[in-house]
Amino acid sequence: MTEEPTGEPSADDRVRYDQARYVEDGQYEPLLSEKDLTRVEIGGESDGRDAGGAGDGDSPLPDDLTRDTLELPELSEPELARHYTRLSQMIYGIDSGPYPLGSCTMKYNPKFTEDVAALPSAAVHPDRSERSVQGTLELLYRLQDYLGRIGGMDAVTLQPPAGAAGEFVGIRVAAAYHEHNGEDHRDEVIIPESAHGTNFATAALGGYDVVSLPSDDSGRVDLEALEAALSERTAALMLTNPNTLGLFERDITEIAEMVHDVGGLLYYDGANLNALLGRARPGDMGFDVMHYNVHKTFATPHGGGGPGAGPVGVVEDLAPFLPAPRVREGGASKSGEATYERFDPEHTIGKVHGFQGNWLVLVKTFAYIARLGDSGLTDASAKAVLNANYLASRVGYDVPYEPFHHEFVASAGEQDAADVAKRMLDYGVHPPTTKWPEIVPEALMTEPTEVESKDTLDRLAAAFNAVASEDTETLEAAPDRTTARRIDQTSAARNPRLSWQALEDN
Amino acid sequence: MHGSDATGSPYAPHTDEERSQMLEAVGAETEEDLFDIPTAVEFDGTFGIDARSERETRRLVRSILGRNDGLTELLGRGHYGYYIPSLVTHLADRSEFLTSYTQYQPEVSQGFLQALFEYQSLLVELTGLEIANCSMYDAATALGEAATLAERVRDTSGHRVLVPDRLLEGRRSTLENYVAGTDLVLEEYATDDGNVDLEALEKTAGDDAVMVYAENPTVRGTIEEGLESIGEIATANEALFVLGSDPIALSLLQRPADVGADVVIGDASVLGLPTSYGMGLGLFACRADYLRQVPGRLVGASEDATDRRAFTLTLQTREQHIRRERATSNICTNQAWVALRTAMHAASLGPSGMVDLAKRGVTRAEGLAARLDALDGVKAPVHDRRHFREFVAHVDQPAAPIANDLEKRGFAVHVVGEHEVQVCVAGVPDEKLDPFVAAFTEVAR
């Protein structure tokens, strides 16, 4: 595990994957290749395969209400088991190795949370009566309470199905609040240049003009620029703290006052909350509304890009505008047990999801928080910050902004950050986020999180440093040791082939 | 166990010695020194949350969720609990699938990219449209995205989004939030006996309509018979025809591309997810014309440096992390793992199995409706239509007490009117149907 990379990767791994389903000419085929396809005639003649009654010509509907055919692959269960097992072997996850993807907070995912989410009693329909889903409502109520305490917020909704959806709730709640107060002339949202792209897209989706805010020399909000940007048109300032450079916005109290003085709201992007658990709370810093990326901060798995969940917390004044329904305590039952009920906040914006969001993610979040408690959550932040600082101290690349918390942004300098990333793959580690934030040239945005050991961090640093000493030719030829070599992204975009049907047409 | 502080994070692997070495390396006495937080905003309290062992935590969650009643759910209306093959659960739970991130480094993500490419391909076959993205959150948010797409791709200055007067409350409310920041306004058109009232739609539509939304099957469980006409009305007014459906229904019912649909949205989690309190998977497919305007992630085929086939996220210049406020959508984290489960479930059924499952949705719903119709005090189905998976029944007694009484007997149904309940057969085992009819017989009289 602590072995230093030699710089001479072998092709062993690639060969292993190819042999798993070698077809010819070094090619492996996707599942949905022509030879696997079966066409079923709907209501037509039998296709001769074990159709389980499908192709028996016995459609319960008249022809004009049905399609004619359906053509999909038909494979046996063993074939499918091998197919998906092989696909899984061609994926790097946090269980495969370190994944220091800045701003994405890739933490180890405790296995027991999968088991509790898979409890049969967790599988309930959203339209069940309150009386029959007291367990689900109690868990939601307790999680609302946990998150409120952790964020220093008065009220929480668990409905948003992802962080960006949480941002959208925040923006909609802000809009509803301003409108309620006769302030619907507020049509601008201020966002620092270094913010997550979702902030900008969310504000635009909410109908707001985006006012971009430059950073000062220290990488933080430029107070003079903020002063100039604020006006009676300001609906909100969207901020994350620590920011995307990992820097704490030390002037946060002043920033909050400035925003509130013009009647705006302060929005907290919870993407970096893992750095603050038990150390500072958005509510105490003057934020009015925040989202929690529970799939980052509380380590539910990312699942290759979701599902996540983006609960939103607000201060008391904004609570009446939250999405419906929320959960509250009702009267005690006959046996004296607490009961729980759904309710619609007085001026609710309605819904942002067809039902109640990503429930199974919320179960995992609850279990994670209940497992760690105060001491575990606080320790997670402490170790995340220690790990980031330690790794940065071992990495030979320049780190222009500090002191940082849970993540740091190194600059690849003369090297191309994207090439650096590809070459790191050859050393068996996942690279950091590259070329962002743009404040740092050729940025390598690195977030090791608390789950990596010193040994692993040393190995990561060795990979960084080995790559730092390599020439352009080597970097541009990377990766060499992965399932696929460097993939041509330009041709993928110029000639989009987005399905097996499109491949067949070519 | 690692670390001296047994109450710290159980997933931080530091030993005491390592911790000391690391602190020394960065020149700090304790971790506290590394935090750059002004005193004024330092948190000096506690959350009041006790740490627990893994075993205790499991027991806690089990005991909380144990308060849920174990009912047989004959519930649908947009969320369904079909049986899921064990294959899906075991393979989707492989930790490489579970613990990877969005495929920003395709060279080490080929497996997930291929699975998502296959999911897109499944939707392309089901809808007949050329493009499918690799997931939105659920049907309601996909509907919202369809409306903002309609606004972007329409040339004229229209602003009306037409939706049926019977639309799931969650979909309608979510759509309202999506259009709140745009110039779009929602307007209802009438339905007739469960399906679209074509005359009413034609009157309501006009050249300032940007989108006509219809569903097949409808929220009342009926199979829409006027799809081609709806498409013609939309096209005549240069409005996008957006059709709501789901992968099982699409296996059997009219192919959206054949009836003029420009966009198909819906909930794909009918495959691959249990009844998970409404957690979903937004399906989104559209015509190739909208390629540069489609919301969400797209996986494309390409080649690697050795000319072997490879997959990658593509056309990311539409997405928020590059395009920012000019992005086609704000979606970032989506439902990738659910899409994987859906693709697995579909693959495990195969085309014959999908069609068979869909056919049973018709025969079992119509069969159960006929059995309820035979009871005193019940008329089922309310609508004189063909049904898919669910139907509305009229009950002479007030519906709410009937649903209550059914619940006491172990069955959950929807109350959808003073004298109307809605019943869904999706995922309900055959052996539960006789007891259900027996219970209904008792409560309805």
Side-chain angles (χ1 to χ4, degrees), chain A residues 21 23 27-38 49 71-87 90 499-501 503-504, chain B residues 87 91 97 110-111 113-122 309 311 339-351:
Chain A
R21 182 164 169 177
V23 182
Q27 292 275 353
Y28 57 86
E29 284 186 349
L31 165 63
L32 302 169
S33 68
E34 206 172 343
K35 74 186 196 58
D36 297 324
L37 290 181
T38 300
R49 293 188 64 130
E71 189 170 4
L72 291 171
E74 181 115 47
L75 287 95
S76 69
E77 177 157 337
E79 285 173 310
L80 282 173
R82 285 185 184 155
H83 174 68
Y84 285 112
T85 298
R86 184 177 60 87
L87 292 189
M90 296 191 287
S499 62
W500 63 265
Q501 293 90 338
L503 282 176
E504 286 184 343
Chain B
L87 169 90
L91 290 170
F97 285 127
Q110 284 301 296
L113 287 163
Q114 183 174 328
L116 293 173
F117 186 85
E118 290 169 2
Y119 166 80
Q120 290 175 182
S121 304
L122 168 73
R309 176 178 294 165
F311 301 96
L340 169 78
R341 293 183 62 107
T342 293
M344 285 177 166
H345 192 165
S348 120
L349 288 168

Side-chain angles (χ1 to χ4, degrees), chain B residues 121-272:
Chain B
S121 304
L122 168 73
L123 296 189
V124 165
E125 172 61 19
L126 286 170
T127 61
L129 299 171
E130 294 94 342
I131 298 172
N133 75 17
C134 63
S135 80
M136 322 249 43
Y137 308 127
D138 74 338
T141 53
L143 178 57
E145 299 275 5
T148 59
L149 173 81
E151 192 188 35
R152 287 195 298 276
V153 301
R154 264 273 297 210
D155 294 334
T156 54
S157 57
H159 59 279
R160 291 189 305 140
V161 171
L162 307 185
V163 297
D165 57 4
R166 281 198 171 116
L167 178 62
L168 283 169
E169 183 263 337
R171 288 189 189 173
R172 163 141 194 153
S173 186
T174 302
L175 179 58
E176 276 172 356
N177 270 312
Y178 267 81
V179 303
T182 69
D183 294 329
L184 300 172
V185 292
L186 298 194
E187 201 172 309
E188 286 179 354
Y189 62 83
T191 51
D192 172 27
D193 201 22
N195 287 7
V196 172
D197 180 337
L198 291 171
E199 270 179 46
L201 176 61
E202 188 141 29
K203 271 186 212 152
T204 311
D207 62 7
D208 58 349
V210 295
M211 168 174 152
V212 174
Y213 178 63
E215 295 180 339
N216 189 31
T218 70
V219 64
R220 306 279 281 185
T222 60
I223 295 173
E224 181 57 63
E225 292 162 24
L227 290 175
E228 269 175 83
S229 304
I230 299 166
E232 281 161 16
I233 293 168
T235 306
N237 291 288
E238 289 178 56
L240 250 57
F241 176 22
V242 179
L243 182 65
S245 194
D246 68 80
I248 296 175
L250 289 170
S251 307
L252 177 64
L253 304 181
Q254 280 175 290
R255 203 172 69 132
D258 296 341
V259 295
D262 299 298
V263 179
V264 175
I265 64 104
D267 215 306
S269 68
V270 287
L271 294 173

Side-chain angles (χ1 to χ4, degrees), chain B residues 249-307:
Chain B
L250 289 170
S251 307
L252 177 64
L253 304 181
Q254 280 175 290
R255 203 172 69 132
D258 296 341
V259 295
D262 299 298
V263 179
V264 175
I265 64 104
D267 215 306
S269 68
V270 287
L271 294 173
L273 265 193
T275 49
S276 43
Y277 205 55
M279 186 162 161
L281 167 61
L283 110 73
F284 194 103
C286 65
R287 295 201 287 134
D289 301 13
Y290 314 136
L291 176 63
R292 308 276 160 186
Q293 291 297 330
V294 67
R297 296 206 176 106
L298 298 172
V299 175
S302 186
E303 292 79 35
D304 76 357
T306 61
D307 292 331

